[in-house]
Every structure is written in structure tokens, then in C-alpha cells.
Amino acid sequence: MKIIIAGAQAVGKYLASLLSRNSSEDIIIVDEDAEALESLGQDLDILSFEASPISIKALRAIDTQNADLFIAVTNDQEVNMCACGIAKSLGAKQTVAKVEDYEYASPKNESTLKKMGIDSVIYPEMLAAQDIINGLKMSWVRQRWDVHGGALIMLGIKLRENCHILRRPLKEVCGATEPYHVVAIKRGNETIIPGGNDTLELYDMAYFMTTRDYIPYVRKMVGKEDYTDVSNVMIMGGGKCALRTVHTMPEYMHTKIIEIDPQRCEKLNDLLPGKGELVINGDARDTSLLLEEGIRNTQAFVALTGNSETNILACLAAKRIGVRKTVAVVENVDYIDMAESLDIGTIINKKAIAASRIYEMMLEGSATNVRFLMQARADVAEFTAQKGSPITKKKIFELSLPAGCTIGGLVRDGEGMLVTGGTQIEAGDIVMVFCHNTEVKRIEKLFN
């Protein structure tokens, strides 16, 4: 597959690193910034081309007419949209543009954008808002990932002293009769695909696969029953991500937004959906202000400023005050591990979320809902088993799956179910696969 990425900044760089894991892809990245391209070339073995992404001459020179996927992710949405239009007119099969305004991500404008040569758009703030809301709905969960609309659910949970299944072999605590599986464990900087003799340890991040009905059971097993459901949320920063988060927030959640810029506060009052949100002009780094605004009665604190360090420190301060659920946008990849080690809660990285969505587009039709989990350095994906595919011809224990790969469960006729080694996957099954150090495209071949 020939892939062209326009833009060598944050999302482009991260996307290139994600895609370059598959050596069979022909990837070219184009940008006017020679320094950004040089930095990218030091880290990744991909082709780069110094030119404007909206230069017809340049796009012809890099053979855009034969591109299977053209992705425009510069920091300028107008450039992205224009580049996609040119690429499509030259013959690119599929185009994707990163946008900054919700207007372009609205479904009602999809047909208009297609006429302009833009097949799909990526709006990182909206994708991040969805992840934030998922985190707030379950205050005791760090990450949640739904398979087939929630028929199966993967929960990333930080294990504490009151977890009931610590230090016991997994074959004892989540055998064939238990309604959950542990599909992966993140311990320090190591990701483990566990076997029956592995154990869960204190402060592990464990990834559980279960069905919707048994979420309360998992909650009890990990000792999280004392976590209060979130009804009051305090948000630090009133940017686009905060706005989209409030717009998608359930009715039962009440929100206070603390924004330091008085003009932005005025604009927020005009843009918010009018569900009782309160906008406060102030600096959320001021502990006295947080106390005055009732942070002790707040179940969740969400830091969404454009500064990763500020967000991390603010979440630490909120935790010290007593807030149990904290969420931070951490855009600087170098800070991800530090933020996790500081135990600040749910970490959101918009470029990783956007890159995961684009990555899904380059896979065949059998793979959907693909997500790269930054903390675990692993992919999770839904695959649909095609008739006559290799995955349907043997039981799971006979498949010889690549190392670092495990099947967490499947959905059959709309019903989620866990699997064992003796499970036979059938055509039409939607299968959840967790991959660590294994290319998703290698697994994809089993389903086609």
C-alpha cells in the first residue's frame, strides 16, 4: 500500500511511526519544514519530501496519483482540506484531512466534503472528548474500549491493595468459568501477555475483557466498589476539547469550567449547550480557587490546557485535595511514562487517538475499531471472520497465534462471549484481538 502523509508535525510524526512498524507499507511524508523532516528521518526509516503539501507539482512528483491513502495532518486545516482535494483530483484512492472545527466533522456536511475530494475527516478534539466521557462514566477505570457497541468491553484498571485477586495464578482467579479474562498486564515499563501461571501484582495496570452484565463483578474483584460515580466535574481549560467534552457529557453530570482568559470565558458562555454549565474566570493552578469552587465535592477533575506539564501538576494537586478521578491531556509523548508513574489517572493523547483512527483506515474491511494503547504499547482491534478464512478452520489453541497476540473474546449474533483454547471461531464472528509487538496486519490475514 502506498501512503502519503502531508505534515511532519505532531500527528504526522506519530502516525508515521505507527505505520512504519509494517515494513510492507510504502510511506512518504511531505512538508515544507526541512528541520521537522530531518528530525523524522533520524527516528524512522521512511521517505521524506520537502515541499508544500498543496503544490500540484510536488504531489505529482511523489506519485500521488497512485496513492492508496493520502493523509493531510498539518497544523492548518485549510491546507489539509486543499491538499486532499488536489490529491483526489490527481487520482489518490482515499483521502483523510485533520480538521480543527466541528463544522467539518458534522455528519450533515459529509457529502459536501466528498464533493471537495475529502473522503474522511479526523477531528482530534471530538475523539478525545469521547475517551474522556468514557473515563468519567466509570470513575474506577483508567481506560475503556467497547467491542461492537459494548457487547464486549475491555477495562484498563490500576490495581490497589484492596484488589481481591492479587498474587494468585491467573488460572485460579480467571479460569474458564469466570466471566472475565485478563488479556494483558502493564507492569512498570513492561507489557505482559499473561499465561495461567502469571499473577497480578500491586500497582499493575491490568486489562480485563468482560461482558456488560459482568462489569459490577469485575469491579468487586478489583476492590473498586467504594469509588463514587461521577456527577460533578471540574474542567481546567476552556479550549475546543473542553467544549466538545461538555457537549457530549451525559445529562446527569454537572460541569464547572475554569478558564484563565476572560474573553474565552465570554465565548464559552455563548457556545455551551446550556445544561447548567458554569464558566469561571480564574487560574485552576490556584488551590485556594479550587477549594472555593467546591473541588472537595467534585468527583472528577479534568485538565485540558495546551500545556502537558500544567495538566499533570494540576491533576496531582487535585488528587492531593482528595479528588479520586483525574484526567489529563498529555500531548508530549515524552511525558506519558512520567505521568503514568505519578499515578495521575486517565491520560489522553489526541495525536495517538487520531493516528489510531487513521491507522484503521489502511486496514482491510475485516478490521475495525482499532486503537493503539500508548501506555501498553499495544494495539487492540475488532476483526470480522470471513467465510473460509484460516481463523475459522481451527480451534483457538491450534492456531499458533504470533507471540504477543491474544484473543480476548468474540461477538456472535450480537451477543458478547469470552473464549477458551477450545473455542471455534465461526464466519461472521467479531473477534477482539490484543497485539503487543505484533503487526495488526499479520493478524488480519487470519481473518480474510
Side-chain angles (χ1 to χ4, degrees):
M1 177 180 279
K2 182 179 179 64
I3 302 169
I4 296 176
I5 302 172
Q9 286 75 41
V11 176
K13 183 175 183 178
Y14 190 85
L15 179 59
S17 67
L18 200 62
L19 298 182
S20 64
R21 295 180 302 166
N22 189 342
S23 58
S24 65
E25 308 299 348
D26 178 12
I27 303 169
I28 301 175
I29 191 160
V30 56
D31 199 293
E32 289 182 288
D33 188 338
E35 189 175 332
L37 290 174
E38 183 180 357
S39 172
L40 197 63
Q42 292 173 356
D43 300 327
L44 303 171
D45 184 20
I46 61 173
L47 295 175
S48 62
F49 193 80
E50 184 183 344
S52 167
I54 55 175
S55 164
I56 298 175
K57 180 181 178 181
L59 294 187
R60 279 182 175 149
I62 57 176
D63 199 29
T64 300
Q65 53 270 30
N66 292 314
D68 296 289
L69 185 59
F70 182 91
I71 308 160
V73 288
T74 75
N75 293 330
D76 188 322
Q77 74 174 1
E78 281 74 25
V79 169
N80 294 338
M81 295 169 72
C82 181
C84 283
I86 296 171
K88 193 71 174 182
S89 67
L90 289 174
K93 291 179 183 176
Q94 186 178 10
T95 60
V96 184
K98 181 173 78 73
V99 298
E100 300 168 9
D101 295 330
Y102 176 70
E103 177 185 12
Y104 297 115
S106 174
K108 67 181 181 182
N109 294 325
E110 185 176 339
S111 60
T112 300
L113 293 174
K114 283 189 179 297
K115 292 175 184 175
M116 297 168 59
I118 304 166
D119 294 317
S120 305
V121 298
I122 296 294
Y123 184 36
E125 284 70 23
M126 174 60 82
L127 299 176
Q130 292 167 354
D131 273 17
I132 291 166
I133 296 301
N134 273 341
L136 295 178
K137 284 180 179 177
M138 301 175 71
S139 59
W140 50 283
V141 169
R142 290 288 179 90
Q143 289 178 295
R144 171 175 172 161
W145 186 79
D146 290 9
V147 179
H148 202 61
L152 275 175
I153 297 171
M154 189 182 75
L155 305 172
I157 303 171
K158 189 80 168 183
L159 304 183
R160 306 289 185 184
E161 292 85 349
N162 50 357
C163 176
H164 303 302
I165 51 177
L166 291 178
R167 305 181 188 91
R168 295 167 57 192
L170 289 179
K171 61 187 176 185
E172 294 181 8
V173 298
C174 59
T177 60
E178 291 294 331
Y180 65 88
H181 286 168
V182 177
V183 295
I185 302 167
K186 176 70 186 305
R187 182 173 299 154
N189 292 323
E190 182 185 9
T191 297
I192 302 166
I193 303 298
N197 293 320
D198 286 304
T199 60
L200 296 172
E201 302 296 335
L202 187 63
Y203 305 129
D204 281 352
M205 173 74 84
Y207 292 88
F208 292 81
M209 179 61 64
T210 189
T211 56
R212 186 186 289 110
D213 292 343
Y214 285 98
I215 290 175
Y217 184 82
V218 173
R219 184 175 186 173
K220 181 179 180 180
M221 288 297 97
V222 297
K224 301 285 187 177
E225 291 177 296
D226 62 330
Y227 273 64
T228 306
D229 291 337
V230 173
S231 57
N232 296 315
V233 182
M234 189 173 287
I235 297 178
M236 175 186 185
K240 293 178 182 179
C241 190
L243 185 62
R244 295 321 319 166
T245 299
V246 175
H247 269 279
T248 54
M249 198 167 280
E251 293 285 343
Y252 64 84
M253 290 186 187
H254 308 287
T255 314
K256 285 184 180 180
I257 301 176
I258 302 179
E259 168 56 45
I260 199 168
D261 183 351
Q263 293 182 331
R264 181 61 182 174
C265 288
E266 292 180 12
K267 191 169 184 179
L268 282 170
N269 283 318
D270 294 333
L271 295 173
L272 289 170
K275 298 187 292 185
E277 310 87 6
L278 182 62
V279 179
I280 299 157
N281 180 217
D283 189 343
R285 294 172 296 183
D286 183 350
T287 303
S288 61
L289 173 64
L290 298 181
L291 292 170
E292 183 182 331
E293 293 300 332
I295 193 169
R296 293 193 190 279
N297 298 316
T298 296
Q299 293 84 41
F301 181 86
V302 185
L304 302 179
T305 76
N307 187 292
S308 296
E309 299 98 314
T310 296
N311 294 339
I312 292 169
L313 292 172
C315 284
L316 283 173
K319 275 192 170 290
R320 289 194 179 110
I321 291 171
V323 181
R324 298 189 75 170
K325 180 66 178 183
T326 56
V327 181
V329 165
V330 181
E331 284 301 284
N332 190 327
V333 176
D334 295 334
Y335 291 164
I336 296 290
D337 287 341
M338 179 188 70
E340 187 179 359
S341 68
L342 291 171
D343 201 22
I344 66 164
T346 299
I347 299 168
I348 302 291
N349 184 281
K350 289 183 286 185
K351 58 175 166 281
I353 297 171
S356 292
R357 185 60 61 90
I358 296 169
Y359 183 49
E360 180 182 319
M361 295 176 184
M362 63 170 277
L363 299 171
E364 301 295 334
S366 62
T368 57
N369 196 12
V370 180
R371 172 63 61 87
F372 180 69
L373 305 175
M374 288 194 72
Q375 286 98 316
R377 296 179 179 86
D379 297 289
V380 286
E382 293 179 26
F383 290 92
T384 301
Q386 305 301 314
K387 187 175 181 180
S389 59
I391 201 80
T392 63
K393 295 178 180 179
K394 296 179 180 180
K395 293 181 179 180
I396 288 178
F397 80 92
E398 299 172 320
L399 289 173
S400 299
L401 294 171
C405 174
T406 186
I407 293 176
L410 60 83
V411 179
R412 182 176 294 163
D413 299 326
E415 182 180 351
M417 60 185 73
L418 301 178
V419 299
T420 65
T423 300
Q424 179 75 54
I425 294 172
E426 299 176 3
D429 286 350
I430 298 166
V431 183
M432 176 272 171
V433 181
F434 190 103
C435 302
H436 174 60
N437 290 334
T438 302
E439 294 175 1
V440 172
K441 289 185 77 67
R442 280 188 65 193
I443 306 301
E444 186 181 31
K445 295 175 183 177
L446 294 171
F447 289 84
N448 293 323

Short mmCIF file of all heavy atoms in Angstrom, two decimals, residues 282-339:
data_model
loop_
_atom_site.label_atom_id
_atom_site.label_comp_id
_atom_site.label_asym_id
_atom_site.label_seq_id
_atom_site.Cartn_x
_atom_site.Cartn_y
_atom_site.Cartn_z
N GLY A 282 -10.58 32.25 35.97
CA GLY A 282 -9.57 32.12 37.01
C GLY A 282 -8.49 31.15 36.60
O GLY A 282 -8.54 30.54 35.53
N ASP A 283 -7.52 31.00 37.47
CA ASP A 283 -6.38 30.10 37.22
C ASP A 283 -6.57 28.83 38.06
O ASP A 283 -6.52 28.87 39.29
CB ASP A 283 -5.09 30.81 37.62
CG ASP A 283 -3.84 30.05 37.20
OD1 ASP A 283 -3.96 28.84 36.90
OD2 ASP A 283 -2.75 30.65 37.17
N ALA A 284 -6.80 27.71 37.39
CA ALA A 284 -7.07 26.45 38.08
C ALA A 284 -5.84 25.91 38.79
O ALA A 284 -5.93 24.91 39.51
CB ALA A 284 -7.62 25.42 37.11
N ARG A 285 -4.68 26.53 38.61
CA ARG A 285 -3.49 26.14 39.37
C ARG A 285 -3.52 26.71 40.78
O ARG A 285 -2.70 26.35 41.62
CB ARG A 285 -2.23 26.60 38.65
CG ARG A 285 -1.99 25.92 37.32
CD ARG A 285 -0.84 26.55 36.55
NE ARG A 285 -1.14 27.93 36.18
CZ ARG A 285 -0.35 28.72 35.46
NH1 ARG A 285 0.82 28.23 35.04
NH2 ARG A 285 -0.68 29.95 35.17
N ASP A 286 -4.48 27.63 41.02
CA ASP A 286 -4.63 28.28 42.33
C ASP A 286 -5.47 27.37 43.23
O ASP A 286 -6.69 27.26 43.06
CB ASP A 286 -5.31 29.64 42.14
CG ASP A 286 -5.44 30.42 43.44
OD1 ASP A 286 -5.18 29.83 44.51
OD2 ASP A 286 -5.84 31.59 43.38
N THR A 287 -4.83 26.72 44.18
CA THR A 287 -5.53 25.76 45.05
C THR A 287 -6.66 26.43 45.82
O THR A 287 -7.74 25.84 46.02
CB THR A 287 -4.55 25.11 46.03
OG1 THR A 287 -3.50 24.48 45.29
CG2 THR A 287 -5.24 24.07 46.89
N SER A 288 -6.45 27.66 46.26
CA SER A 288 -7.50 28.35 47.02
C SER A 288 -8.75 28.56 46.17
O SER A 288 -9.87 28.47 46.66
CB SER A 288 -6.98 29.70 47.55
OG SER A 288 -6.60 30.55 46.47
N LEU A 289 -8.55 28.81 44.85
CA LEU A 289 -9.70 28.96 43.95
C LEU A 289 -10.45 27.64 43.81
O LEU A 289 -11.68 27.59 43.84
CB LEU A 289 -9.24 29.45 42.58
CG LEU A 289 -10.33 29.51 41.49
CD1 LEU A 289 -11.40 30.51 41.85
CD2 LEU A 289 -9.70 29.87 40.13
N LEU A 290 -9.69 26.55 43.67
CA LEU A 290 -10.33 25.23 43.55
C LEU A 290 -11.14 24.90 44.79
O LEU A 290 -12.27 24.39 44.69
CB LEU A 290 -9.26 24.15 43.32
CG LEU A 290 -8.42 24.26 42.05
CD1 LEU A 290 -7.43 23.10 41.97
CD2 LEU A 290 -9.29 24.28 40.80
N LEU A 291 -10.60 25.21 45.96
CA LEU A 291 -11.32 24.95 47.20
C LEU A 291 -12.57 25.82 47.30
O LEU A 291 -13.64 25.36 47.72
CB LEU A 291 -10.40 25.19 48.40
CG LEU A 291 -9.24 24.20 48.56
CD1 LEU A 291 -8.27 24.69 49.63
CD2 LEU A 291 -9.76 22.82 48.91
N GLU A 292 -12.43 27.07 46.90
CA GLU A 292 -13.57 28.00 46.92
C GLU A 292 -14.69 27.54 46.00
O GLU A 292 -15.88 27.71 46.30
CB GLU A 292 -13.09 29.39 46.51
CG GLU A 292 -14.15 30.47 46.56
CD GLU A 292 -13.61 31.82 46.10
OE1 GLU A 292 -12.40 32.07 46.27
OE2 GLU A 292 -14.40 32.61 45.55
N GLU A 293 -14.30 26.93 44.88
CA GLU A 293 -15.30 26.48 43.90
C GLU A 293 -15.80 25.05 44.18
O GLU A 293 -16.50 24.46 43.36
CB GLU A 293 -14.72 26.56 42.48
CG GLU A 293 -14.45 27.97 42.01
CD GLU A 293 -15.72 28.83 41.99
OE1 GLU A 293 -16.82 28.25 41.82
OE2 GLU A 293 -15.61 30.06 42.14
N GLY A 294 -15.43 24.50 45.33
CA GLY A 294 -16.01 23.25 45.77
C GLY A 294 -15.37 21.99 45.22
O GLY A 294 -16.05 20.99 45.00
N ILE A 295 -14.04 22.01 45.04
CA ILE A 295 -13.39 20.82 44.48
C ILE A 295 -13.51 19.61 45.41
O ILE A 295 -13.50 18.47 44.96
CB ILE A 295 -11.91 21.10 44.15
CG1 ILE A 295 -11.35 19.96 43.26
CG2 ILE A 295 -11.08 21.31 45.40
CD1 ILE A 295 -10.01 20.24 42.67
N ARG A 296 -13.70 19.86 46.72
CA ARG A 296 -13.85 18.72 47.64
C ARG A 296 -15.15 17.96 47.40
O ARG A 296 -15.28 16.80 47.79
CB ARG A 296 -13.79 19.22 49.09
CG ARG A 296 -12.43 19.75 49.51
CD ARG A 296 -12.37 19.91 51.03
NE ARG A 296 -11.18 20.64 51.44
CZ ARG A 296 -9.97 20.13 51.58
NH1 ARG A 296 -9.78 18.85 51.28
NH2 ARG A 296 -8.95 20.86 51.97
N ASN A 297 -16.11 18.60 46.75
CA ASN A 297 -17.38 17.96 46.41
C ASN A 297 -17.43 17.53 44.95
O ASN A 297 -18.49 17.23 44.41
CB ASN A 297 -18.55 18.91 46.71
CG ASN A 297 -18.63 19.27 48.18
OD1 ASN A 297 -18.49 18.41 49.04
ND2 ASN A 297 -18.84 20.55 48.47
N THR A 298 -16.25 17.51 44.32
CA THR A 298 -16.15 17.15 42.91
C THR A 298 -15.59 15.74 42.80
O THR A 298 -14.60 15.41 43.45
CB THR A 298 -15.22 18.14 42.17
OG1 THR A 298 -15.81 19.44 42.21
CG2 THR A 298 -15.02 17.73 40.72
N GLN A 299 -16.23 14.91 41.98
CA GLN A 299 -15.75 13.53 41.82
C GLN A 299 -14.70 13.38 40.73
O GLN A 299 -14.01 12.37 40.67
CB GLN A 299 -16.92 12.60 41.50
CG GLN A 299 -17.92 12.43 42.62
CD GLN A 299 -18.94 13.55 42.65
OE1 GLN A 299 -19.44 13.97 41.60
NE2 GLN A 299 -19.26 14.02 43.84
N ALA A 300 -14.58 14.38 39.85
CA ALA A 300 -13.62 14.26 38.74
C ALA A 300 -13.03 15.62 38.40
O ALA A 300 -13.75 16.63 38.35
CB ALA A 300 -14.28 13.65 37.51
N PHE A 301 -11.73 15.62 38.15
CA PHE A 301 -11.02 16.83 37.71
C PHE A 301 -10.36 16.51 36.37
O PHE A 301 -9.64 15.52 36.25
CB PHE A 301 -9.97 17.22 38.75
CG PHE A 301 -9.19 18.46 38.40
CD1 PHE A 301 -9.67 19.72 38.72
CD2 PHE A 301 -7.97 18.37 37.73
CE1 PHE A 301 -8.96 20.86 38.39
CE2 PHE A 301 -7.25 19.51 37.40
CZ PHE A 301 -7.75 20.76 37.73
N VAL A 302 -10.62 17.35 35.37
CA VAL A 302 -10.15 17.10 34.01
C VAL A 302 -9.30 18.29 33.56
O VAL A 302 -9.79 19.41 33.48
CB VAL A 302 -11.33 16.90 33.04
CG1 VAL A 302 -10.82 16.53 31.65
CG2 VAL A 302 -12.29 15.83 33.56
N ALA A 303 -8.02 18.04 33.28
CA ALA A 303 -7.09 19.11 32.90
C ALA A 303 -6.89 19.08 31.39
O ALA A 303 -6.30 18.14 30.85
CB ALA A 303 -5.76 18.94 33.62
N LEU A 304 -7.35 20.14 30.70
CA LEU A 304 -7.36 20.16 29.23
C LEU A 304 -6.67 21.39 28.65
O LEU A 304 -7.00 21.82 27.55
CB LEU A 304 -8.82 20.11 28.72
CG LEU A 304 -9.67 18.92 29.17
CD1 LEU A 304 -11.08 19.03 28.59
CD2 LEU A 304 -9.03 17.62 28.74
N THR A 305 -5.71 21.95 29.36
CA THR A 305 -4.98 23.07 28.78
C THR A 305 -4.04 22.55 27.70
O THR A 305 -3.85 21.35 27.54
CB THR A 305 -4.16 23.82 29.85
OG1 THR A 305 -2.98 23.06 30.18
CG2 THR A 305 -4.96 24.07 31.11
N GLY A 306 -3.40 23.44 26.98
CA GLY A 306 -2.47 23.06 25.93
C GLY A 306 -1.08 22.74 26.44
O GLY A 306 -0.18 22.44 25.65
N ASN A 307 -0.90 22.75 27.76
CA ASN A 307 0.42 22.53 28.35
C ASN A 307 0.40 21.22 29.13
O ASN A 307 -0.29 21.10 30.16
CB ASN A 307 0.79 23.70 29.27
CG ASN A 307 2.21 23.62 29.78
OD1 ASN A 307 2.53 22.75 30.56
ND2 ASN A 307 3.06 24.54 29.34
N SER A 308 1.19 20.24 28.70
CA SER A 308 1.19 18.92 29.34
C SER A 308 1.63 18.99 30.80
O SER A 308 1.04 18.35 31.68
CB SER A 308 2.12 17.96 28.58
OG SER A 308 1.66 17.73 27.27
N GLU A 309 2.71 19.78 31.06
CA GLU A 309 3.20 19.87 32.43
C GLU A 309 2.15 20.45 33.36
O GLU A 309 1.95 19.95 34.48
CB GLU A 309 4.46 20.74 32.47
CG GLU A 309 5.62 20.22 31.65
CD GLU A 309 5.72 20.90 30.29
OE1 GLU A 309 4.67 21.03 29.62
OE2 GLU A 309 6.83 21.27 29.90
N THR A 310 1.47 21.50 32.90
CA THR A 310 0.42 22.12 33.71
C THR A 310 -0.68 21.11 34.03
O THR A 310 -1.17 21.03 35.16
CB THR A 310 -0.18 23.33 32.97
OG1 THR A 310 0.85 24.32 32.80
CG2 THR A 310 -1.34 23.93 33.74
N ASN A 311 -1.08 20.34 33.03
CA ASN A 311 -2.15 19.36 33.23
C ASN A 311 -1.75 18.28 34.24
O ASN A 311 -2.54 17.89 35.09
CB ASN A 311 -2.52 18.72 31.90
CG ASN A 311 -3.15 19.71 30.93
OD1 ASN A 311 -3.67 20.75 31.35
ND2 ASN A 311 -3.11 19.40 29.66
N ILE A 312 -0.51 17.81 34.13
CA ILE A 312 -0.03 16.78 35.05
C ILE A 312 0.01 17.31 36.48
O ILE A 312 -0.49 16.66 37.42
CB ILE A 312 1.37 16.28 34.62
CG1 ILE A 312 1.27 15.52 33.30
CG2 ILE A 312 1.99 15.40 35.70
CD1 ILE A 312 2.62 15.22 32.66
N LEU A 313 0.58 18.49 36.66
CA LEU A 313 0.70 19.07 38.00
C LEU A 313 -0.67 19.38 38.60
O LEU A 313 -0.90 19.19 39.80
CB LEU A 313 1.56 20.33 37.96
CG LEU A 313 3.05 20.10 37.64
CD1 LEU A 313 3.77 21.42 37.44
CD2 LEU A 313 3.71 19.29 38.74
N ALA A 314 -1.58 19.85 37.75
CA ALA A 314 -2.93 20.18 38.24
C ALA A 314 -3.65 18.93 38.72
O ALA A 314 -4.34 18.94 39.75
CB ALA A 314 -3.73 20.86 37.13
N CYS A 315 -3.49 17.82 38.00
CA CYS A 315 -4.12 16.56 38.42
C CYS A 315 -3.51 16.05 39.72
O CYS A 315 -4.23 15.53 40.59
CB CYS A 315 -4.00 15.51 37.32
SG CYS A 315 -5.14 15.77 35.95
N LEU A 316 -2.20 16.21 39.87
CA LEU A 316 -1.55 15.82 41.12
C LEU A 316 -2.10 16.63 42.29
O LEU A 316 -2.38 16.09 43.37
CB LEU A 316 -0.04 16.02 41.03
CG LEU A 316 0.75 14.98 40.24
CD1 LEU A 316 2.20 15.42 40.10
CD2 LEU A 316 0.68 13.61 40.92
N ALA A 317 -2.28 17.94 42.07
CA ALA A 317 -2.83 18.81 43.12
C ALA A 317 -4.26 18.40 43.46
O ALA A 317 -4.64 18.34 44.64
CB ALA A 317 -2.80 20.26 42.66
N ALA A 318 -5.05 18.08 42.44
CA ALA A 318 -6.44 17.67 42.68
C ALA A 318 -6.49 16.37 43.48
O ALA A 318 -7.33 16.21 44.37
CB ALA A 318 -7.17 17.51 41.34
N LYS A 319 -5.59 15.43 43.16
CA LYS A 319 -5.55 14.17 43.90
C LYS A 319 -5.18 14.40 45.36
O LYS A 319 -5.73 13.76 46.27
CB LYS A 319 -4.56 13.21 43.25
CG LYS A 319 -5.16 12.40 42.09
CD LYS A 319 -4.25 11.28 41.67
CE LYS A 319 -4.96 10.35 40.70
NZ LYS A 319 -6.03 9.56 41.33
N ARG A 320 -4.26 15.32 45.61
CA ARG A 320 -3.87 15.61 47.00
C ARG A 320 -5.02 16.22 47.79
O ARG A 320 -5.14 16.01 48.99
CB ARG A 320 -2.65 16.53 47.01
CG ARG A 320 -1.37 15.84 46.53
CD ARG A 320 -0.13 16.64 46.87
NE ARG A 320 1.07 15.94 46.42
CZ ARG A 320 1.83 16.34 45.42
NH1 ARG A 320 1.53 17.44 44.75
NH2 ARG A 320 2.92 15.66 45.09
N ILE A 321 -5.86 16.98 47.09
CA ILE A 321 -7.02 17.58 47.75
C ILE A 321 -8.07 16.50 48.07
O ILE A 321 -8.85 16.62 49.00
CB ILE A 321 -7.63 18.68 46.87
CG1 ILE A 321 -6.66 19.87 46.80
CG2 ILE A 321 -8.98 19.15 47.39
CD1 ILE A 321 -7.05 20.93 45.78
N GLY A 322 -8.07 15.42 47.28
CA GLY A 322 -9.00 14.33 47.56
C GLY A 322 -9.84 13.88 46.39
O GLY A 322 -10.70 13.00 46.55
N VAL A 323 -9.62 14.44 45.19
CA VAL A 323 -10.38 14.01 44.02
C VAL A 323 -9.82 12.67 43.55
O VAL A 323 -8.63 12.55 43.27
CB VAL A 323 -10.28 15.05 42.88
CG1 VAL A 323 -11.10 14.59 41.68
CG2 VAL A 323 -10.78 16.41 43.36
N ARG A 324 -10.67 11.67 43.40
CA ARG A 324 -10.19 10.33 43.07
C ARG A 324 -10.04 10.10 41.58
O ARG A 324 -9.18 9.33 41.13
CB ARG A 324 -11.12 9.27 43.67
CG ARG A 324 -11.18 9.33 45.18
CD ARG A 324 -11.91 8.15 45.77
NE ARG A 324 -11.11 6.93 45.74
CZ ARG A 324 -11.45 5.82 46.38
NH1 ARG A 324 -12.57 5.77 47.08
NH2 ARG A 324 -10.69 4.75 46.31
N LYS A 325 -10.87 10.77 40.79
CA LYS A 325 -10.82 10.57 39.33
C LYS A 325 -10.22 11.82 38.69
O LYS A 325 -10.79 12.90 38.76
CB LYS A 325 -12.22 10.32 38.78
CG LYS A 325 -12.25 10.12 37.26
CD LYS A 325 -11.54 8.84 36.86
CE LYS A 325 -11.59 8.58 35.37
NZ LYS A 325 -10.95 7.30 34.99
N THR A 326 -9.06 11.66 38.06
CA THR A 326 -8.45 12.77 37.34
C THR A 326 -8.11 12.33 35.92
O THR A 326 -7.76 11.18 35.68
CB THR A 326 -7.16 13.27 38.04
OG1 THR A 326 -6.25 12.18 38.19
CG2 THR A 326 -7.48 13.86 39.40
N VAL A 327 -8.24 13.27 35.00
CA VAL A 327 -7.97 13.03 33.58
C VAL A 327 -7.08 14.16 33.09
O VAL A 327 -7.37 15.33 33.36
CB VAL A 327 -9.27 12.99 32.75
CG1 VAL A 327 -8.96 12.72 31.28
CG2 VAL A 327 -10.25 11.96 33.29
N ALA A 328 -6.02 13.83 32.36
CA ALA A 328 -5.12 14.86 31.85
C ALA A 328 -4.84 14.63 30.38
O ALA A 328 -4.55 13.51 29.96
CB ALA A 328 -3.81 14.86 32.62
N VAL A 329 -4.92 15.69 29.60
CA VAL A 329 -4.42 15.64 28.23
C VAL A 329 -2.92 15.84 28.29
O VAL A 329 -2.43 16.85 28.82
CB VAL A 329 -5.08 16.73 27.35
CG1 VAL A 329 -4.30 16.92 26.05
CG2 VAL A 329 -6.51 16.36 27.03
N VAL A 330 -2.18 14.85 27.80
CA VAL A 330 -0.71 14.91 27.79
C VAL A 330 -0.27 14.72 26.34
O VAL A 330 -0.22 13.60 25.83
CB VAL A 330 -0.09 13.83 28.70
CG1 VAL A 330 1.43 13.94 28.68
CG2 VAL A 330 -0.62 13.96 30.13
N GLU A 331 0.03 15.81 25.67
CA GLU A 331 0.37 15.76 24.25
C GLU A 331 1.85 15.46 24.03
O GLU A 331 2.22 14.96 22.96
CB GLU A 331 0.00 17.08 23.57
CG GLU A 331 -1.50 17.21 23.32
CD GLU A 331 -2.04 16.09 22.45
OE1 GLU A 331 -1.83 16.09 21.23
OE2 GLU A 331 -2.68 15.16 23.00
N ASN A 332 2.68 15.76 24.99
CA ASN A 332 4.11 15.48 24.87
C ASN A 332 4.34 14.01 25.16
O ASN A 332 4.21 13.55 26.30
CB ASN A 332 4.90 16.36 25.84
CG ASN A 332 6.39 16.30 25.60
OD1 ASN A 332 6.92 15.26 25.20
ND2 ASN A 332 7.08 17.40 25.83
N VAL A 333 4.67 13.23 24.13
CA VAL A 333 4.83 11.78 24.28
C VAL A 333 5.90 11.45 25.31
O VAL A 333 5.79 10.43 26.03
CB VAL A 333 5.18 11.14 22.92
CG1 VAL A 333 5.44 9.64 23.07
CG2 VAL A 333 4.05 11.37 21.92
N ASP A 334 6.91 12.30 25.44
CA ASP A 334 7.99 12.04 26.40
C ASP A 334 7.50 12.06 27.84
O ASP A 334 8.18 11.54 28.74
CB ASP A 334 9.10 13.08 26.23
CG ASP A 334 9.80 12.98 24.88
OD1 ASP A 334 9.79 11.88 24.30
OD2 ASP A 334 10.34 13.99 24.41
N TYR A 335 6.33 12.66 28.07
CA TYR A 335 5.82 12.78 29.43
C TYR A 335 4.83 11.66 29.79
O TYR A 335 4.37 11.58 30.93
CB TYR A 335 5.11 14.12 29.63
CG TYR A 335 6.02 15.33 29.61
CD1 TYR A 335 5.51 16.61 29.43
CD2 TYR A 335 7.39 15.20 29.75
CE1 TYR A 335 6.34 17.72 29.41
CE2 TYR A 335 8.22 16.30 29.73
CZ TYR A 335 7.69 17.56 29.56
OH TYR A 335 8.51 18.65 29.54
N ILE A 336 4.49 10.82 28.83
CA ILE A 336 3.46 9.80 29.07
C ILE A 336 3.88 8.86 30.21
O ILE A 336 3.13 8.63 31.16
CB ILE A 336 3.16 8.99 27.80
CG1 ILE A 336 2.57 9.89 26.70
CG2 ILE A 336 2.22 7.83 28.11
CD1 ILE A 336 1.19 10.38 26.95
N ASP A 337 5.08 8.30 30.11
CA ASP A 337 5.53 7.37 31.14
C ASP A 337 5.65 8.05 32.50
O ASP A 337 5.31 7.47 33.53
CB ASP A 337 6.88 6.76 30.74
CG ASP A 337 6.74 5.73 29.62
OD1 ASP A 337 5.61 5.24 29.40
OD2 ASP A 337 7.76 5.44 28.96
N MET A 338 6.12 9.31 32.49
CA MET A 338 6.24 10.04 33.75
C MET A 338 4.87 10.26 34.37
O MET A 338 4.67 10.05 35.58
CB MET A 338 6.93 11.39 33.52
CG MET A 338 7.07 12.21 34.80
SD MET A 338 7.66 13.89 34.50
CE MET A 338 6.24 14.63 33.70
N ALA A 339 3.90 10.66 33.54
CA ALA A 339 2.55 10.89 34.04
C ALA A 339 1.95 9.63 34.62
O ALA A 339 1.29 9.65 35.66
CB ALA A 339 1.67 11.42 32.91
#
